Amino acid sequence: MGIIVQKFGGTSVGSTDRMKRVAGQIVKEKEKGNDVVVVVSAMANTTDTLVKLAGELSDYPGKREMDMLLSTGEQVTISLLTMALQHRGMKAVSLTGRQAGIRTDDVFGNAKITSIDTGRIKEELSAGRIVVVAGFQGVTEEGELTTLGRGGSDTSAAALASALKADRCDIYTDVDGVYTSDPRVVPRAAKIDGLSYTDMLRFAMMGANVLHPRAIKHAKEHGVPMIVRSSLKEGRGTVISGKVQRNDSIVGVALQEEVSVLTIHGCDGGESLILYDLDSHHIETERIRHRQGLVLIIKDQDIHLVKKIVRKYNQAYSHFDMREDVSKVCVIGSIQSSGEVKEKVTNVFHDYHIGKVSVWESSVGLSAIVDRTDVEKAARILHMHFGLDYIESKRAIL
Amino acid sequence: MGIIVQKFGGTSVGSTDRMKRVAGQIVKEKEKGNDVVVVVSAMANTTDTLVKLAGELSDYPGKREMDMLLSTGEQVTISLLTMALQHRGMKAVSLTGRQAGIRTDDVFGNAKITSIDTGRIKEELSAGRIVVVAGFQGVTEEGELTTLGRGGSDTSAAALASALKADRCDIYTDVDGVYTSDPRVVPRAAKIDGLSYTDMLRFAMMGANVLHPRAIKHAKEHGVPMIVRSSLKEGRGTVISGKVQRNDSIVGVALQEEVSVLTIHGCDGGESLILYDLDSHHIETERIRHRQGLVLIIKDQDIHLVKKIVRKYNQAYSHFDMREDVSKVCVIGSIQSSGEVKEKVTNVFHDYHIGKVSVWESSVGLSAIVDRTDVEKAARILHMHFGLDYIESKRAIL
């Protein structure tokens, strides 16, 4: 008997019928004798509908007001799911992020969890209740409502699991686990049975959309095992824990189709101000120091804000340029001997006529910027050349 | 220069286009140099949609969870309306009931405001911001979200106006003021220019749907004038204040179509327990002591709960009976000499063949229970016989 955290995404709770099914899965876990804490996202499409309403009123709605608006989505889900549980005769209670004690910083739209006061949750669990918590949201010290940005509900779940020292954090989603690559792009991608936190973090940092790096870091903090699994069909999913050992150094191929490369030339120490400012806005960028200056790989969605920030410090560099409409493809894993993977990738790109902009190695693997038109082909070829196709026989031993 | 509280109902903020218009009205008030606090309801239909979702999950959803669900409606409106104001270049901030310091008791679904801590609102006003507050909601001492029941946003507005010692509380609605009777039933009903708090309270207690008694009581507390006016067309509306003098003792005719009469026979002191329990559930009933026992006039929507409560104390009386499917029609005003109005009404009912169940006088006027099929006719006839038709020439002097 222990504490299990279950997280259900927007598709899993996208209708009252789906909520009834989810309630069934929760009851099953509770009936095993576990204390269950459930974290949910907004119902699918809710967020889009709210964003559309905001767009009808303002081109640049304030971030504080957007958080006020969007955090209603999860509040609707927690109350409805709790009703579904109570209807099945279960004792259950819904808690907003605030009521669940989730404190964040005040970066609206992309806040970071700073602490969790688990008092109320533990009280409710002691009273035998299933606790249904609104994911994606928290509250600042001043009582302002915040949202956690992309992957926010996963982050809420992992942070709660960690703070509660839970036995497990199950991430229910519409895929049945983590794959060696995106199966929509790479048909020979295979489900991975087990991954270490470090390898999962590599996946996440390379832009695989399954789990947000912040969520993994929270789980790693107290060694809470996470399982990424399907809410639609039974299955073992992918286990992420500290106990997984791998034989292979390369574990996957990730791709990010919509990125841009911003190069800042002639910056002499002044880049630290820029990086600090980007960090305080929680903008994720990959950063590489080249001979010609500082290179930032940024998501297309962040271009506007990044340019604004970089321009603010125009005393600190000579000039910057931007290469838009490119893509990033990554070979994920630990690179043992420097240069070896890079040479292999360069050769493969040459042989298959893939237009590359640049290639570099880092602690999470190898990244390459390629023409956007070539990225899917590049992913498929690298997946094959690094022996990831049909990986079943080589799976990790749990 | 002072503080003006403006309240906009669900129809007034029912779409983003309507919100833009409302924003215009707010800006106009702000530009007169006033501090403006805006209280809003959920967008029209939002509450119905949410209630429908809850109904798909449970026949009797828990009240705490219903409040968790429904309070999202106002939160959506405050954020969107604030965006609309900011888009017009105004400084504005949205506040949930909690953030606005609205404390309530813990009667979920029908909570009473117990206190308001205006600190945050005053801070925001001092910073030059328009403050947009979620109506209909508050928070208990334990941090649980509550809703205020019927007319809740009016109550929020009046209570805030009172706590802020506002100069005025404008209730924007889809009618242009308070009428001598419901114009859909009584075509010769006329708009009233001014009413005293006491007369307005009489209207509200007799079931006129314009303002909830609680709202009026809050305004009366600190003598804040309220104006009931249309959000669709300009006009003076109906002013409710302590300064209004009337020449007429009878000010209107109200009707409640869906009521039932519950008579408790042979109760000997035990009724106080029942009344206390009804009060703690905030159920509004009119109570009359007859020879045969205690008579309660209850709204059809409360029948289920009232019966449950009355049955709980079945030691305290011999039996009760219930007359369902009747209506109440009221002559509103101060009755100077006892029996006079009652005689007149009884004669009128006799002359016009209106099937009456009972008639009694009270401090707010005269009430009659009649057959549901006769109630509209009864209202029209009483309106005429008490000289309320074409009332223009006799309006109150402000």
Side-chain angles (χ1 to χ4, degrees):
Chain A
M1 214 187 111
I3 299 177
I4 307 293
V5 174
Q6 299 183 308
K7 181 258 168 179
F8 295 93
T11 315
S12 309
V13 293
S15 67
T16 49
D17 278 337
R18 290 199 171 190
M19 281 188 203
K20 287 177 193 169
R21 181 156 56 185
V22 162
Q25 263 161 319
I26 297 166
V27 170
K28 213 191 283 173
E29 197 64 59
K30 175 74 181 162
E31 286 178 345
K32 286 179 192 161
N34 290 308
D35 282 341
V36 182
V37 175
V38 182
V39 177
V40 286
S41 304
M43 294 170 76
N45 303 323
T46 301
T47 307
D48 290 347
T49 307
L50 293 173
V51 168
K52 191 172 158 285
L53 285 173
E56 287 170 19
L57 290 165
S58 176
D59 294 334
Y60 298 103
K63 291 203 166 186
R64 179 192 181 278
E65 299 307 326
M66 276 308 281
D67 281 5
M68 179 67 89
L69 180 65
L70 295 183
S71 57
T72 61
E74 284 73 25
Q75 196 174 322
V76 168
T77 318
I78 55 170
S79 52
L80 291 176
L81 185 56
T82 302
M83 289 174 195
L85 288 165
Q86 290 173 342
H87 184 67
R88 294 180 69 122
M90 307 301 290
K91 287 163 72 177
V93 65
S94 67
L95 299 180
T96 62
R98 173 180 205 135
Q99 291 173 331
I102 300 175
R103 275 281 182 84
T104 73
D105 62 19
D106 62 357
V107 180
F108 294 108
N110 199 8
K112 250 184 193 156
I113 296 175
T114 52
S115 71
I116 299 183
D117 175 354
T118 57
R120 173 77 188 265
I121 294 182
K122 283 181 178 162
E123 218 174 82
E124 301 289 355
L125 291 176
S126 299
R129 295 196 185 98
I130 296 167
V131 181
V132 183
V133 179
F136 184 64
Q137 61 177 245
V139 67
T140 69
E141 213 169 313
E142 288 75 30
E144 297 286 87
L145 303 183
T146 53
T147 68
L148 307 180
R150 218 165 57 86
S153 293
D154 292 341
T155 305
S156 304
L160 279 169
S162 194
L164 290 163
K165 299 185 177 40
D167 293 36
R168 217 171 67 224
C169 179
D170 288 352
I171 306 287
Y172 285 92
T173 173
D174 50 0
V175 294
D176 60 350
V178 180
Y179 277 71
T180 50
S181 193
D182 184 340
R184 288 166 301 185
V185 176
V186 182
R188 292 188 169 176
K191 190 174 80 68
I192 303 171
D193 284 343
L195 276 171
S196 66
Y197 294 116
T198 310
D199 276 340
M200 188 64 228
L201 209 48
R202 287 190 172 110
F203 263 93
M205 291 178 72
M206 286 305 204
N209 247 330
V210 190
L211 278 178
H212 195 276
R214 279 189 211 160
I216 304 157
K217 282 176 189 163
H218 279 294
K220 193 180 177 183
E221 209 174 287
H222 284 97
V224 178
M226 298 182 91
I227 303 183
V228 176
R229 63 199 335 170
S230 166
S231 63
L232 301 173
K233 57 177 185 181
E234 293 259 353
R236 295 173 58 203
T238 298
V239 179
I240 298 131
S241 81
K243 291 181 189 151
V244 177
Q245 303 283 331
R246 294 198 67 82
N247 301 318
D248 318 295
S249 58
I250 301 300
V251 291
V253 169
L255 67 165
Q256 268 185 296
E257 304 210 18
E258 300 185 345
V259 299
S260 297
V261 181
L262 186 140
T263 310
I264 303 172
H265 299 271
C267 48
D268 194 21
E271 71 265 30
S272 60
L273 283 172
I274 296 173
L275 298 180
Y276 178 82
D277 208 340
L278 290 172
D279 281 344
S280 69
H281 284 82
H282 299 333
I283 295 172
E284 294 152 26
T285 57
E286 197 173 351
R287 294 143 194 202
I288 316 109
R289 269 163 227 287
H290 269 236
R291 260 169 308 127
Q292 64 265 48
L294 178 70
V295 179
L296 301 177
I297 314 297
I298 56 180
K299 291 175 199 152
D300 282 5
Q301 71 198 44
D302 295 329
I303 288 179
H304 181 76
L305 189 53
V306 171
K307 276 187 178 169
K308 203 170 132 186
I309 290 171
V310 170
R311 285 206 184 98
K312 214 159 85 182
Y313 302 98
N314 60 6
Q315 306 290 325
Y317 54 85
S318 65
H319 67 287
F320 73 85
D321 58 53
M322 189 95 170
R323 170 112 185 211
E324 302 195 12
D325 297 323
V326 290
S327 296
K328 196 172 81 161
V329 59
C330 308
V331 176
I332 301 165
S334 62
I335 293 179
Q336 315 286 340
S337 60
S338 174
E340 196 184 304
V341 175
K342 188 172 176 177
E343 199 190 323
K344 188 168 173 179
V345 169
T346 307
N347 289 338
V348 166
F349 281 2
H350 179 264
D351 294 349
Y352 288 86
H353 306 291
I354 287 163
K356 82 173 205 299
V357 177
S358 60
V359 177
W360 67 97
E361 292 177 351
S362 71
S363 63
V364 294
L366 173 139
S367 302
I369 296 295
V370 298
D371 290 344
R372 199 166 282 181
T373 45
D374 285 345
V375 64
E376 301 202 345
K377 182 176 148 196
R380 281 190 289 270
I381 290 165
L382 291 176
H383 196 268
M384 179 182 70
H385 274 268
F386 281 94
L388 295 168
D389 285 7
Y390 305 112
I391 206 173
E392 278 88 337
S393 60
K394 297 191 254 168
R395 275 191 193 155
I397 299 132
L398 284 181
Chain B
M1 215 187 111
I3 299 176
I4 307 294
V5 175
Q6 300 183 309
K7 182 260 170 177
F8 295 92
T11 315
S12 308
V13 292
S15 68
T16 49
D17 278 336
R18 290 198 170 192
M19 283 188 203
K20 286 176 193 171
R21 182 156 55 187
V22 163
Q25 263 161 319
I26 298 166
V27 170
K28 213 189 283 174
E29 198 63 59
K30 175 73 182 163
E31 285 177 346
K32 287 180 192 160
N34 290 308
D35 282 340
V36 182
V37 175
V38 181
V39 177
V40 286
S41 303
M43 293 170 76
N45 303 322
T46 301
T47 306
D48 290 347
T49 307
L50 293 173
V51 168
K52 191 172 159 283
L53 284 174
E56 287 170 20
L57 290 165
S58 175
D59 293 334
Y60 298 104
K63 291 202 166 188
R64 178 191 181 277
E65 299 307 326
M66 276 309 281
D67 280 5
M68 179 68 89
L69 180 65
L70 296 182
S71 57
T72 62
E74 283 74 24
Q75 196 173 323
V76 168
T77 319
I78 54 170
S79 53
L80 290 176
L81 185 56
T82 302
M83 289 174 196
L85 288 165
Q86 290 174 341
H87 184 67
R88 294 180 69 121
M90 307 303 290
K91 286 163 73 178
V93 64
S94 67
L95 298 180
T96 61
R98 173 180 207 137
Q99 291 173 332
I102 299 174
R103 275 282 181 83
T104 73
D105 63 18
D106 61 357
V107 180
F108 293 107
N110 199 7
K112 249 183 194 156
I113 296 175
T114 51
S115 70
I116 299 183
D117 175 354
T118 57
R120 173 76 188 266
I121 294 181
K122 283 183 178 162
E123 218 173 84
E124 301 289 356
L125 291 176
S126 299
R129 297 196 183 97
I130 296 166
V131 182
V132 183
V133 179
F136 183 65
Q137 62 178 245
V139 66
T140 69
E141 213 169 314
E142 289 75 30
E144 298 285 86
L145 303 183
T146 52
T147 68
L148 307 180
R150 217 165 59 85
S153 293
D154 292 340
T155 305
S156 304
L160 280 169
S162 192
L164 290 163
K165 300 185 177 36
D167 293 37
R168 216 173 68 224
C169 179
D170 288 352
I171 306 288
Y172 285 91
T173 173
D174 49 359
V175 295
D176 60 350
V178 181
Y179 277 71
T180 51
S181 192
D182 185 340
R184 287 165 302 186
V185 175
V186 182
R188 293 188 169 177
K191 190 174 80 68
I192 304 170
D193 284 343
L195 276 170
S196 65
Y197 293 117
T198 310
D199 276 340
M200 187 64 229
L201 209 50
R202 287 190 172 110
F203 264 94
M205 291 178 72
M206 286 304 205
N209 247 330
V210 191
L211 277 178
H212 196 275
R214 279 190 211 161
I216 303 157
K217 283 176 190 165
H218 279 293
K220 192 179 178 182
E221 209 174 289
H222 284 97
V224 178
M226 297 182 91
I227 303 184
V228 176
R229 63 199 334 171
S230 167
S231 63
L232 302 172
K233 56 177 185 181
E234 293 261 351
R236 296 173 58 203
T238 298
V239 179
I240 299 131
S241 80
K243 292 180 189 153
V244 176
Q245 304 283 332
R246 295 198 66 84
N247 301 319
D248 319 293
S249 58
I250 302 300
V251 290
V253 169
L255 67 166
Q256 270 186 294
E257 305 210 16
E258 300 185 345
V259 301
S260 296
V261 181
L262 187 139
T263 309
I264 303 173
H265 299 270
C267 48
D268 195 19
E271 72 267 29
S272 60
L273 283 172
I274 296 173
L275 297 181
Y276 178 82
D277 208 339
L278 291 172
D279 281 344
S280 70
H281 283 82
H282 300 332
I283 295 171
E284 293 152 26
T285 57
E286 198 173 351
R287 295 143 194 202
I288 316 110
R289 269 165 227 286
H290 269 235
R291 259 169 309 129
Q292 65 264 49
L294 178 69
V295 180
L296 302 177
I297 314 297
I298 55 180
K299 291 177 197 149
D300 281 5
Q301 71 198 44
D302 294 330
I303 289 179
H304 180 77
L305 189 53
V306 172
K307 275 187 177 169
K308 205 171 131 185
I309 290 172
V310 171
R311 285 206 182 98
K312 214 160 86 182
Y313 301 97
N314 59 8
Q315 306 290 324
Y317 54 86
S318 66
H319 68 285
F320 73 86
D321 59 53
M322 188 94 172
R323 169 109 186 216
E324 302 194 13
D325 297 322
V326 290
S327 296
K328 195 172 82 161
V329 60
C330 307
V331 176
I332 302 164
S334 62
I335 293 178
Q336 316 285 340
S337 62
S338 176
E340 194 183 305
V341 175
K342 188 172 174 176
E343 198 189 323
K344 187 167 175 182
V345 170
T346 307
N347 289 338
V348 166
F349 281 180
H350 179 265
D351 293 349
Y352 288 85
H353 306 291
I354 287 165
K356 82 170 204 299
V357 178
S358 59
V359 177
W360 66 96
E361 291 178 347
S362 70
S363 63
V364 293
L366 172 139
S367 302
I369 297 295
V370 298
D371 290 343
R372 199 165 285 181
T373 45
D374 285 345
V375 63
E376 301 201 347
K377 182 176 150 197
R380 282 190 288 270
I381 289 164
L382 291 176
H383 196 267
M384 179 182 70
H385 275 267
F386 281 94
L388 295 168
D389 284 7
Y390 304 111
I391 206 173
E392 278 90 336
S393 59
K394 299 190 254 169
R395 273 190 193 156
I397 297 133
L398 284 180

